[in-house]
Amino acid sequence: MERCDYSLTVEPLSELHLLIRWAQPVVPSHQRWCQLSLISLAETLRAHPWVAEAVAGDQSLAIECTHPGCQNRVEDFLAGELALCPSPSASHRSHLIEVRYGGEWGPDLAWVAQQCGCDQQTLIRRHTQGKYWAAFVGFQPGFAYLEGLDPKLQLPRRSTPRLRVEPGSVALASHYCAVYPAASPGGWHIIGRTDLTLFSASQTPPARIQPGDEVRFIQASHHD
């Protein structure tokens, strides 16, 4: 990735909380660099005893201090970090996820293909050719918002969300792709399903996909 320089700002939210934002709009070609930089900064902050938690979101970073007196210490530390976007960490993992597309596993595949002006196999090929990375985790534990979706596959969310989406469902919405770690309501378009466990309290870490990780999808060779 080409290095890009963006300045960051810090805003107090409460006696315990701070929010870091970009001072300038981030252009699409620089989005990955900037997001990975926030993820790296969050990892650095979590190592400090006066930071209870640091969580990177969509183009922002929320910080929770251990007690009110620590906020100034965090701000002093950040003063040396906010002049330029910090370098991303190179310690993130790669995941290959096998997917059963269509049918009972991907009930929206045919409709998505129609909306995208292609046949189902073309849609599957475009999806599996994508190189994705986890921008942030939200909605439910282990639910990673994956950037890198082919623009030809980008659609708005469903007008009516489902009351239940099965765990392992591979879904699309807007410019994101994701895999549902657990059963829940959901308004994304489901194109397939994987047997991979995305979240388990007995795993270390509990969420298989962490912010910054790279993800690839592969079509299952057969359906059991």
Side-chain angles (χ1 to χ4, degrees), residues 63-87:
I63 302 170
E64 181 181 3
C65 304
T66 53
H67 59 274
C70 291
Q71 190 183 60
N72 291 336
R73 298 186 66 178
V74 174
E75 290 177 328
D76 290 342
F77 170 78
L78 291 174
E81 301 288 329
L82 298 183
L84 293 176
C85 178
S87 297

Side-chain angles (χ1 to χ4, degrees), residues 2-184:
E2 180 184 356
R3 180 179 176 84
C4 51
D5 295 332
Y6 283 84
S7 58
L8 294 161
T9 62
V10 58
E11 306 170 20
L13 297 179
S14 72
E15 290 186 341
L16 290 177
H17 300 91
L18 300 168
L19 183 68
I20 295 176
R21 297 180 185 270
W22 299 112
Q24 310 97 337
V26 176
V27 299
S29 60
H30 295 166
Q31 186 172 355
R32 186 178 185 187
W33 174 279
C34 291
Q35 189 68 32
L36 292 178
S37 297
L38 286 181
I39 293 169
S40 295
L41 182 56
E43 292 173 351
T44 299
L45 287 165
R46 283 195 291 269
H48 290 274
W50 20 269
V51 173
E53 184 59 281
V55 179
D58 187 9
Q59 301 188 29
S60 65
L61 171 61
I63 302 170
E64 181 181 3
C65 304
T66 53
H67 59 274
C70 291
Q71 190 183 60
N72 291 336
R73 298 186 66 178
V74 174
E75 290 177 328
D76 290 342
F77 170 78
L78 291 174
E81 301 288 329
L82 298 183
L84 293 176
C85 178
S87 297
S89 166
S91 62
H92 303 297
R93 301 176 301 169
S94 296
H95 308 270
L96 185 63
I97 299 178
E98 188 174 84
V99 181
R100 295 180 175 90
Y101 288 94
E104 63 181 288
W105 303 282
D108 296 329
L109 182 71
W111 184 87
V112 172
Q114 182 182 42
Q115 296 300 306
C116 294
C118 64
D119 57 44
Q120 295 181 44
Q121 197 54 47
T122 298
L123 188 155
I124 293 170
R125 185 176 68 253
R126 289 175 179 171
H127 186 252
T128 55
Q129 287 176 343
K131 298 180 180 180
Y132 305 90
W133 59 278
F136 59 97
V137 174
F139 174 55
Q140 60 175 254
F143 189 101
Y145 286 75
L146 304 179
E147 296 269 10
L149 183 65
D150 187 328
K152 295 179 180 179
L153 303 184
Q154 296 179 9
L155 295 171
R157 291 165 54 92
R158 289 169 54 90
S159 57
T160 303
R162 287 183 170 87
L163 295 180
R164 177 183 171 90
V165 175
E166 295 300 321
S169 293
V170 178
L172 315 175
S174 183
H175 60 287
Y176 293 117
C177 178
V179 182
Y180 281 76
S184 73

